[in-house]
């Protein structure tokens, strides 16, 4: 059986769930429900196992709530790496859990190195572990990759994606303020660097275009600068955009609307804090934590889904 | 007691060991001595713990041999991440072991994300773990960082370095062939992107200049293009260069000579494969593996040290 193209799988999941919303699973210990983290407040999380258990308990609960509602989750490795080997185990457990719930998983690891070293990062982030003791572990469906080192640095991720039916999202124009300092620098022909990188991504992705017309090599394009988003949408017709910046980082539904092609396809919109930290709203303060997280997460997702639905037109 | 500046510590260690050579500890399972990995050859390393034990046994042996001979080791996280939590534990054990032997440790992780997420990567890579169960674990002395996302992405690493007496090496011009595609792109004033990034690094490093005149914010500058190396040396007088590409990637001692200022300072030269895989030379085939690794590693280091000594003038 040939492996199904990642872009096709993602587009099918977007259709099934009827939303391009992706939940960013970036759990922060001191933003967990106090019922989980509160009793360890005095020692400020210095018990490593207890801290990771709390993150995992919360994240697993969120996964179960969001699984029927969205096509994918994006899990950022940075939120687990400060917990060292326990963090890696928790990250793996969440990938496993999300996959079991039918969610696609994007590993937001922003990796890259010289070619033979990128091969190792691709093995760590995209390929099912070859070890007997991890034979039940699912690998993520896609990974984010940094472009600064060029084709032979990004290439091993793309090769792994092609061989294993996975995806790659290359940073093109990120959502943070400092991005302009490098990504918006003008080249000799008067165009900014991010467009040069975007065109490379479209080229790299050409061999991985699926039946629905999009490549499994996508681009990370922030929504905080909607004009640039619109420009890139026009330049890269076959590239799927992973769009961060919605909500907490300041972009509106109208802003992210520019990420979609005329057919309402071509992008997934990530929201992390607006969903994960919704339970902190005082209106949920009197509920048991499980109920608070469920009600808050559902309400946040419903609101964002509606806004995006209207924006996609 | 104020924390000593990382650049000062590194320069003092270079003086003590009388060489700017850094050993890149990037162990590859199928390039280990067969006495360690050979009996597991039939199942191709699919026993995760056994594979990591073999990598650790070899790497620990190499650390002991090189500790009196060089100022620092560079450990690339990518060579451990494919082993998941076991790999992270092995990585931590090697940092611990290297530190105990008096070596400075550079974590070649090439991380970066938006600001609040970079803070987490800085915690994972540069700061001693705050957890009781890891209270004996040393953190690396420096980390490599990718620049594409700009100041607010690199900033948290620099803040952590400043607060904890650590260092940061930002990718400026890497040694791989594909680097040219993005890093050499010409800007409107006719200068290439890598010079723009280099100047940002020199600016970011200004507040972290030590008593010896160099900043704890350094730059990764490959030796595979010696003209660019010379240009950057002239442009960034107070930036320490971490120079990969010597040996296996094709750069000669004459090439890397351009990384040094007139006083013979300003750079560390990394060699990985030429040292770590020296024991595979058939001339050592009849020795027990420990003797082979010791003889081969010493010979490789002696040869590179001499070549660099001549090159520094």
């Amino acid at each position: 059986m040939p492996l199904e193209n990642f872009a096709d799988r993602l587009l099918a999941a977007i259709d099934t769930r009827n939303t391009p919303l992706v939940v960013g699973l970036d759990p922060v210990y001191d933003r967990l429900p106090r019922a989980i983290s509160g009793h360890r407040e005095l020692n400020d999380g210095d018990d490593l196992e207890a801290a990771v258990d709390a993150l995992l308990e919360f994240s697993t609960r969120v996964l179960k709530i969001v699984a029927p509602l969205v096509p994918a989750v994006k899990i950022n490795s940075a939120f687990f790496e400060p917990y060292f080997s326990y963090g890696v185990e928790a990250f793996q457990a969440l990938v496993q859990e999300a996959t079991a719930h039918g969610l696609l998983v994007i590993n937001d690891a922003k990796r890259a190195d010289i070619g033979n070293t990128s091969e190792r990062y691709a093995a760590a982030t995209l390929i099912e572990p070859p070890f007997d003791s991890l034979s039940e572990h699912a690998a993520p469906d896609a990974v984010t990759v940094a472009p600064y080192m060029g084709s032979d640095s990004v290439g091993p991720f793309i090769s792994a994606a092609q061989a294993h039916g996975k995806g790659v999202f290359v940073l093109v124009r990120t959502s943070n303020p400092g991005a302009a300092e490098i990504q918006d620098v003008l080249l000799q022909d008067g165009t900014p660097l991010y467009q040069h990188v975007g065109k490379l991504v479209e080229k790299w992705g050409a061999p991985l275009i699926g039946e629905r017309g999009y490549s499994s090599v996508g681009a990370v394009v922030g929504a905080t600068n909607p004009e640039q988003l619109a420009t890139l949408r026009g330049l890269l017709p076959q590239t799927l955009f992973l769009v961060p910046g919605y909500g907490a980082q300041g972009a509106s539904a109208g802003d992210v609307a520019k990420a979609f092609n005329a057919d309402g396809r071509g992008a997934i919109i990530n929201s992390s804090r607006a969903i994960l930290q919704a339970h902190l709203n005082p209106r949920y303060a009197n509920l048991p934590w499980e109920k608070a997280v469920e009600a808050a997460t559902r309400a946040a997702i419903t609101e964002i889904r509606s806004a995006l639905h209207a924006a996609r037109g």
Side-chain angles (χ1 to χ4, degrees), chain A residues 17-25 61-73 103 246 269-279 283-284 292-310:
Chain A
R17 302 296 202 278
N18 195 28
T19 182
L21 174 61
V22 168
V23 174
L25 206 59
R61 173 83 40 176
V62 171
L63 273 181
K64 282 183 185 141
I65 298 164
V66 308
L69 305 175
V70 298
V73 287
L103 287 160
Y246 180 74
I269 312 299
N270 182 76
S271 176
S272 300
R273 279 169 275 180
I275 294 169
L276 280 203
Q277 297 179 15
H279 66 90
R283 88 177 69 151
Y284 304 110
V293 169
E294 175 148 7
T297 306
R298 280 189 192 284
I301 287 184
T302 302
E303 188 184 325
I304 300 172
R305 277 180 57 133
S306 299
L308 294 179
H309 202 75

Side-chain angles (χ1 to χ4, degrees), chain A residues 9-29:
Chain A
R9 290 196 287 139
L10 179 59
L11 291 162
I14 293 168
D15 285 353
T16 304
R17 302 296 202 278
N18 195 28
T19 182
L21 174 61
V22 168
V23 174
L25 206 59
D26 305 341
V28 176
Y29 184 78

Side-chain angles (χ1 to χ4, degrees), chain A residues 119 122-123 126-127 155-168 208:
Chain A
E119 280 176 26
L126 277 183
I127 303 174
F157 293 96
I158 295 175
S159 300
Q162 191 158 25
H164 297 269
K166 303 298 178 82
V168 176
L208 283 81

Side-chain angles (χ1 to χ4, degrees), chain A residues 131-305:
Chain A
F131 306 107
D132 293 342
S133 58
L134 298 180
S135 60
E136 291 180 5
H137 273 277
D141 296 285
V143 66
T144 58
V145 170
Y148 191 67
M149 297 177 71
S151 293
D152 55 333
S153 170
V154 176
F157 293 96
I158 295 175
S159 300
Q162 191 158 25
H164 297 269
K166 303 298 178 82
V168 176
F169 290 95
V170 183
L171 304 182
V172 170
R173 181 55 172 86
T174 57
S175 57
N176 60 312
E181 239 167 358
I182 292 176
Q183 298 163 26
D184 292 359
V185 164
L186 296 180
L187 310 187
Q188 282 205 311
D189 65 0
T191 63
L193 177 66
Y194 73 82
Q195 291 184 17
H196 173 67
V197 174
K199 287 173 199 161
L200 284 174
V201 172
E202 179 98 349
K203 185 179 82 175
W204 294 335
L208 283 81
I209 292 174
E211 292 176 5
R212 292 167 180 247
Y214 287 98
S215 173
S216 294
V217 182
V220 176
V221 184
T224 45
N225 192 323
E227 282 174 35
Q228 295 178 334
L229 184 52
T231 303
L232 284 169
R233 184 66 287 164
L235 281 176
L236 318 176
Q238 300 190 297
T239 301
L240 284 169
F241 290 176
L242 165 59
V243 182
Y246 180 74
Q249 288 184 56
S252 70
D255 295 335
V256 302
K258 299 185 168 56
F260 299 100
N261 278 319
D263 60 359
R265 298 186 193 282
I268 48 177
I269 312 299
N270 182 76
S271 176
S272 300
R273 279 169 275 180
I275 294 169
L276 280 203
Q277 297 179 15
H279 66 90
L280 295 174
N281 187 313
R283 88 177 69 151
Y284 304 110
N286 293 325
L287 292 176
W289 79 267
E290 298 93 334
K291 299 276 185 201
V293 169
E294 175 148 7
T297 306
R298 280 189 192 284
I301 287 184
T302 302
E303 188 184 325
I304 300 172
R305 277 180 57 133

Side-chain angles (χ1 to χ4, degrees), chain A residues 40-70:
Chain A
R40 285 185 288 272
E41 208 165 36
L42 287 176
N43 58 11
D44 198 18
D46 61 4
D47 179 336
L48 176 56
E49 288 187 63
V52 175
D53 284 350
L55 289 171
L56 203 47
E57 186 171 359
F58 172 75
S59 303
T60 307
R61 173 83 40 176
V62 171
L63 273 181
K64 282 183 185 141
I65 298 164
V66 308
L69 305 175
V70 298

